[in-house]
Amino acid sequence: MHSVCVTGAGGFVASWVVKELLAKGYIVHGTVRDPDDEKKNGHLKKLEHANERLHLFKADMLDYAGLCIAIDGCTGVIHVATPVPAGKVTNPQPEMLEPAITGTRNVMNACLKSKVNKVLVVSSMTAIFVNPSWPKDRPMDENCWSDAEFCKKNEKWYCASKVISEREALEFGKKNNLNVVTICPAMVFGPMLQSTICTTNTILLNLFKGKNSFNLGELDKPEEDIPIPIVDVRDCAKALLLAYEKPEAEGSPCGLNEELNYTCEKIMKLGWSHRSLEETLVDSVKNMKEAGLLS
């Protein structure tokens, strides 16, 4: 029975990845900051098969030794976690950029040390679309990268952290003969497994309440109305498992909407399909009502 380590296991996307892995018979090693924090991680212990096959390890992305312990004995790793500072960011380079890059480096080195067979790195659409020089009529695919220097110059720190981390991970894989695949999801909405509301669903909840709290500061032209590609968290988790399990998955599959000039051709060829936005919104409303977030 194969073991897979999921970093940041208690998070919105990662929780669904853990659920999918357990349902498919994997042993799951999940890294969390505090395995005894029931508010943040108790939902993981309630998942089906968690008692038999889920093991939580205390480690964050800046804890190389802890990551080595969590990854040891695993066949593969799905790296979902991104260090996010609590509260308002006052010094973005050391608070956002450097921890994300260092965290990915630590995961890669721990994977190499443990001789895992495959590493799936969860990047973001923001690693793709902040590229002022990309031809407007050419679909954005794995050949399109956000301009890291442009991002830093314009204080798009999340974009910068994602594009630098993803590129480094792929280069690390090539240099060390480590099978590294990256995937770039769109904005993730959908029902939550955890009890605390995540960042993206906070945006959705506010929209339901008539308040627009989209933070468009990371986009090229935040003053304009622009389409935002969206993916359901359940479809995102399935895309990650496809990219992890399929031997033909390589490079950087994009999990975005081709109608917005992003292509998701590579992940579609692996057998991925997605539900409608209406289903995502309906299920999100039901989930928020059950959680007492909507009256």
Side-chain angles (χ1 to χ4, degrees), residues 7 31 59-61 63-72 103 106-107 110:
T7 66
T31 72
D60 63 38
M61 296 307 97
D63 175 14
Y64 173 69
L67 288 170
C68 287
I69 293 171
I71 293 172
D72 185 48
N106 284 342
V107 171

Side-chain angles (χ1 to χ4, degrees), residues 249-268:
E250 61 178 1
S252 177
C254 302
L256 301 167
N257 187 333
E258 58 266 46
E259 294 178 7
L260 302 174
N261 215 29
Y262 305 102
T263 176
C264 52
E265 181 181 359
K266 288 184 75 173
I267 195 68
M268 297 291 280

Side-chain angles (χ1 to χ4, degrees), residues 28 72 92 121 128 132 211 247 250 271 280:
V28 180
D72 185 48
V121 176
I128 300 170
K211 178 183 176 183
E250 61 178 1
T280 298

